[in-house]
Amino acid sequence: MRRLSLLLGLGLLTGCAGGHPGKYVVFFTENSTQLDTPAQTVITQAAQRAVASHANVRVEGYAAASHDLSADELLAIDRAKVVARQLVVDGVDTSRIRQQPRGPMNNESGALASRRVEIEVGGH
């Protein structure tokens, strides 16, 4: 339960915190592409910003490197697609979204970092 609380809190905080005001981070549970409520909230915030500023959006999906690198790469791609679809549902024009899966990351510091999708509003 404590781990879930940490994930939920990080999901909300990283969506609006940090050095780049147009950067949002969505976290997933291990081996999942399901959006939970905090993830949807972060995506909605990013979409609102993109719609209001008519900005382009870059969506980067990540996954951890494990024993099956092709499955990990597909997971990163699927996570980016899920986030991009939700951005469209939230009003962002499809032509403004660029997906960029990053695939397996074996140099990530921690499992949480490798289970994310980064959304950059205003990204080229």
Side-chain angles (χ1 to χ4, degrees):
M1 186 65 163
R2 184 176 179 184
R3 190 175 192 186
L4 179 60
S5 297
L6 175 64
L7 286 174
L8 297 177
L10 284 173
L12 289 173
L13 290 175
T14 30
C16 18
H20 192 282
K23 195 167 203 173
Y24 301 81
V25 181
V26 176
F27 292 102
F28 290 84
T29 57
E30 191 171 350
N31 297 319
S32 173
T33 60
Q34 297 294 312
L35 295 173
D36 57 15
T37 302
Q40 289 178 337
T41 300
V42 170
I43 296 168
T44 298
Q45 291 171 352
Q48 289 171 345
R49 182 182 183 127
V51 169
S53 62
H54 305 288
N56 290 326
V57 179
R58 185 171 43 130
V59 178
E60 293 183 346
Y62 292 82
S66 67
H67 63 282
D68 188 349
L69 294 179
S70 60
D72 297 331
E73 186 174 4
L74 287 174
L75 182 60
I77 290 168
D78 288 345
R79 286 175 174 165
K81 284 181 180 180
V82 165
V83 170
R85 274 194 298 264
Q86 187 61 47
L87 285 165
V88 171
V89 168
D90 289 343
V92 179
D93 189 279
T94 306
S95 66
R96 295 190 174 277
I97 300 172
R98 188 178 80 210
Q99 296 177 50
Q100 209 170 359
R102 292 295 183 187
M105 306 297 287
N106 57 6
N107 62 344
E108 289 289 339
S109 57
L112 182 61
S114 64
R115 296 191 318 255
R116 74 187 189 279
V117 169
E118 294 181 359
I119 305 167
E120 185 175 346
V121 177
H124 297 21

